[in-house]
Amino acid sequence: MPKATEGEASGLINNGRRLFLLGMAGTAVVLTGCGGGGGGDAPVATPNQPSPPDPDPQPEPPPEPPAPQPDSHPPRGLHVSLEDSTRRTRTVTWFSDGSEAPDQRLEYDQPEADWDAETVQSRPFLKWVYARSEPTFGVDALTHRAMAPALDPGRPFRYRVGSPEGGWSRVYWLAPIDTQRWTFTHFGDHGISERAKRVVDESLQHPSDLLLLAGDLSYANGEQPIWDQWFDLAEPLLASTVTMAAPGNHEAKDGEGLTAGKAFKSRLTHPDPLLNNLNDNPGSTYYPFDINRVHFFVSSAGALIDDFSLAEELINLEIDLAKAALRRLRGEIDFIVLMQHYPIWTDQLGRSPANFALVTLQENILLRYGVDLLLVGHDHVYQRSHPMAYGFRSPLGYVQVMAGTGGQSVRLFDEAPQDWSASQFMGIGLVHYQVEPGRITGEFWGAAPEGLDDDSRQTVTGPFQRHDRFVVEKRGFLACRDCALPARTPAELLADYPEIVADTRRRNHLALEHCG
C-alpha cells in the first residue's frame, strides 16, 4: 500500500478529529472547577434537545428609518419670463446659496389635459435642460437660467428646477395663453411689507397670463439680501405667471455708475433689445415683446441714467414703435403698450412732469406712433387718465394707468385732480386687464387704509374691491395709417440729449430725496 503524502496525512488526521468529535455528540459533558462556577443544580446542556421557550417572546423592533437630510442647494426665488420667442419658449430663473452648486437643470413637460394637484406634483418629467449659472450680484449665491425650447403654445407648461444632488423646487403649472382672450396684471412699488404680501395674495385671486411690474420691486436700496426676501415673498406669483419687469429709481441704488441697477440686471431675465451695445446683461432694462396681438415695450425711462444706456434706449424705442405702428396698420397686431416706472403726468406735487425734456420727447414718441396704453408706477396711489396728449384730453392720445399701489406705502394726492384724470384711489391694489379682439378692459382692485392720517394710512386690513373699470378700443384704420411713420435718425431724435440727461439726473435726485 503506498505511503500517504504529507498533505494527505494531514487530511487524514483532520478527518479523524472530526469523526472523534461526532462520536462525542451523544455524550453529556459537565465541566466543574477551573473557574467553572455555578452549583450542582445548574441545568445541563444536552445536544439535540431544544431550549425551553421564552415565556413572553417580544418581536424585534423594526429599524428606524434614517433621518431625512436637508437639501444641500435648494432652489429658491423662481420666476418665469420671456427671453426669446414668446409663443415657443419659456425661461425660468432661480437662485441657490453659495458660490458652487451641483449642475442645475429645468425639468418640464406639457400635459395634454388638466391634472389634479397630486398628479401635478408627483408625475415624473419627460424633458430637461441644463441651466447656465453665474454669480448673483452682492450676495454669496448663484443665479441660474434655463430656457425650455420648442414648446407647444396650446398646451400647459409644467416644470420644476434644481438637481438630484442639491434638491428640487416644488412643481409649478402655467396654463396655455389663449389666442383670443387672455389677461395680464400690472402694479409697481412692491417691497416686502405685509401690504406687499396682501397684493401678492390678491393677484393670485385674479389669475393672469402675464404679470407686469412697473419698477421699484424689492426696495433693497443697496442691501442685497433684501432681494432674496422679496423673491421668497413673491415666488408663488412670479413662478406661476410669465413676469416682465421695468427698473425703478430704487433699483438704481444697487450699484454705482456703470453698475447702477446691477441687482435688477443680475437677477431677472428679459429679451435683448434690437440694438444692444451697452446693455449686455440677461436682465435687460429696456426690451420689446409680443403676447398675441398686443405689442409691449418696457422702458427704464432713465431710471438708471448712470449706466449710460439712455441714448441707446431711446433709439431702440423709436425704431421698435415705428415697426409696431407699421405692423398694426398691416393688421398683424391691435395694440401698442409701453410700461415704465416713472409717470408722465401725476397729481403728486412737483412731479407732473418732473423731467420736462425727457417727457417732451417721450410724449412725442407716444403720440407719433399711436401708443394705446402707458403703464406706470412710482407714485404710491392709483390714477388713470382719459385718452390724453401733452396734459390735455385728446381722443387720439394714450391712456396712462398709474398703479404704484404694490404695497410699499400708501400716499395721499398732493393736488386736486387735473382735467385729464379720470379715476383716483388711495390704498394698495393691482390692475387686471382682459384682452379680447379689438378691446382691452381694465379693472383696478384695491384695499383702502384704515384712515388717511399719518398713523393709520399704512394699515390696510380691509377687503379688496373693484374701484375702477375702463375700456380701450382698437384704433380705426385712418388713425393707424397716420401713425405708421418711419423712424427718425439718431441725430434728429437726440438733438436735445444733453438737456435730457441733465433733467433726468435732476428728476432722479428729487425722486430719491422725496422717497427718503
Side-chain angles (χ1 to χ4, degrees):
M1 184 175 184
K3 293 174 97 176
T5 65
E6 183 178 355
E8 290 170 336
S10 175
L12 290 172
I13 293 170
N14 289 333
N15 286 336
R17 288 174 179 167
R18 282 192 290 270
L19 291 172
F20 171 77
L21 291 172
L22 287 172
M24 293 290 293
T27 305
V29 178
V30 178
L31 297 179
T32 60
C34 298
D41 295 333
V44 177
T46 305
N48 299 326
Q49 181 175 334
S51 300
D54 189 335
D56 188 15
Q58 297 294 323
E60 289 289 331
E64 292 187 7
Q69 297 299 312
D71 296 334
S72 62
H73 293 80
R76 54 177 178 76
L78 282 64
H79 81 271
V80 181
S81 63
L82 304 176
E83 186 182 14
D84 198 349
S85 167
T86 59
R87 288 188 60 78
R88 294 288 180 182
T89 69
R90 295 289 183 269
T91 295
V92 184
T93 306
W94 69 98
F95 313 102
S96 64
D97 291 323
S99 57
E100 296 182 355
D103 288 338
Q104 299 288 293
R105 67 194 197 199
L106 162 66
E107 295 191 340
Y108 67 98
D109 54 23
Q110 292 195 273
E112 294 183 359
D114 289 342
W115 291 349
D116 61 70
E118 182 180 352
T119 305
V120 167
Q121 293 294 322
S122 61
R123 186 71 64 89
F125 286 89
L126 302 178
K127 301 177 182 179
W128 60 271
V129 292
Y130 278 121
R132 60 193 193 274
S133 304
E134 62 189 40
T136 306
F137 175 74
V139 294
D140 184 20
L142 294 174
T143 300
H144 311 285
R145 297 177 171 90
M147 178 192 291
L151 298 178
D152 181 346
R155 293 169 64 175
F157 175 58
R158 186 180 74 109
Y159 77 94
R160 70 174 183 175
V161 300
S163 67
E165 302 86 359
W168 296 101
S169 71
R170 60 158 294 179
V171 177
Y172 286 96
W173 176 288
L174 278 72
I177 301 178
D178 187 85
T179 58
Q180 297 299 308
R181 288 174 175 80
W182 59 281
T183 59
F184 65 96
T185 294
H186 146 235
F187 62 83
D189 305 85
H190 195 210
I192 58 174
S193 67
E194 182 59 31
R195 296 179 298 271
K197 184 179 184 305
R198 288 201 66 199
V199 173
V200 168
D201 294 341
E202 181 66 18
S203 297
L204 292 170
Q205 300 303 311
H206 304 267
S208 292
D209 300 298
L210 172 67
L211 172 65
L212 297 175
L213 298 175
D216 283 2
L217 278 61
S218 72
Y219 285 82
N221 294 329
E223 296 183 33
Q224 300 311 312
I226 292 179
W227 274 101
D228 294 310
Q229 297 178 47
W230 180 77
F231 272 105
D232 289 344
L233 180 146
E235 180 179 314
L237 180 60
L238 309 184
S240 58
T241 314
V242 173
T243 300
M244 312 299 278
N249 54 294
H250 283 271
E251 271 73 57
K253 291 187 175 183
D254 299 312
E256 297 180 355
L258 290 175
T259 65
K262 187 62 176 177
F264 180 96
K265 300 171 184 179
S266 172
R267 289 176 175 270
L268 296 156
T269 306
H270 299 134
D272 284 331
L274 177 67
L275 303 175
N276 188 30
N277 295 319
L278 298 174
N279 197 37
D280 185 20
N281 56 78
S284 304
T285 57
Y286 54 91
Y287 52 90
F289 67 96
D290 285 355
I291 300 288
N292 293 326
R293 296 180 63 83
V294 181
H295 178 74
F296 294 88
F297 191 96
V298 176
S299 170
S300 79
L304 308 178
I305 185 71
D306 290 335
D307 73 357
F308 293 100
S309 65
L310 181 58
E312 185 176 272
E313 176 180 342
L314 292 171
I315 295 170
N316 269 277
L317 178 63
E318 173 84 4
I319 294 172
D320 180 81
L321 294 187
K323 291 170 60 179
L326 182 59
R327 292 173 60 206
R328 183 172 55 189
L329 179 62
R330 291 172 176 169
E332 298 173 16
I333 61 173
D334 292 339
F335 296 98
I336 302 174
V337 178
L338 176 65
M339 181 180 73
Q340 63 186 41
H341 178 62
Y342 285 106
I344 291 183
W345 303 99
T346 172
D347 283 321
Q348 292 280 296
L349 187 64
R351 304 218 262 191
S352 185
N355 180 353
F356 191 78
L358 179 58
V359 163
T360 300
L361 177 58
Q362 279 194 303
E363 188 103 342
N364 179 274
I365 294 173
L366 293 173
L367 297 171
R368 177 182 176 88
Y369 299 113
V371 169
D372 299 290
L373 276 170
L374 172 63
L375 311 181
V376 299
H378 190 52
D379 293 337
H380 298 183
V381 292
Y382 171 76
Q383 188 169 29
R384 172 183 60 87
S385 76
H386 296 284
M388 65 183 299
Y390 297 108
F392 298 96
R393 296 193 196 188
S394 169
L396 297 179
Y398 59 90
V399 174
Q400 176 184 274
V401 184
M402 180 168 62
T405 51
Q408 172 62 16
S409 69
V410 178
R411 289 193 189 147
L412 304 174
F413 285 98
D414 299 320
E415 300 178 336
Q418 300 176 63
D419 182 62
W420 53 260
S421 182
S423 179
Q424 308 86 32
F425 178 81
M426 291 175 288
I428 63 174
L430 59 100
V431 192
H432 190 254
Y433 302 83
Q434 174 80 41
V435 184
E436 54 190 328
R439 178 181 292 117
I440 297 178
T441 302
E443 295 182 342
F444 175 74
W445 291 81
E450 290 187 352
L452 297 182
D453 59 273
D454 291 343
D455 291 334
S456 60
R457 193 170 64 248
Q458 306 310 323
T459 302
V460 184
T461 57
F464 283 84
Q465 298 175 324
R466 190 178 74 184
H467 291 273
D468 187 28
R469 185 179 187 275
F470 59 95
V471 176
V472 177
E473 301 280 357
K474 176 184 175 182
R475 293 171 184 256
F477 174 78
L478 293 179
C480 291
R481 185 190 65 182
D482 291 343
C483 294
L485 300 172
R488 292 164 288 188
T489 65
E492 182 182 2
L493 183 70
L494 302 177
D496 298 324
Y497 190 67
E499 185 179 356
I500 289 172
V501 171
D503 275 7
T504 301
R505 290 185 187 280
R506 188 180 307 113
R507 176 205 63 187
N508 292 4
H509 176 74
L510 291 174
L512 291 175
E513 206 174 57
H514 185 264
C515 293

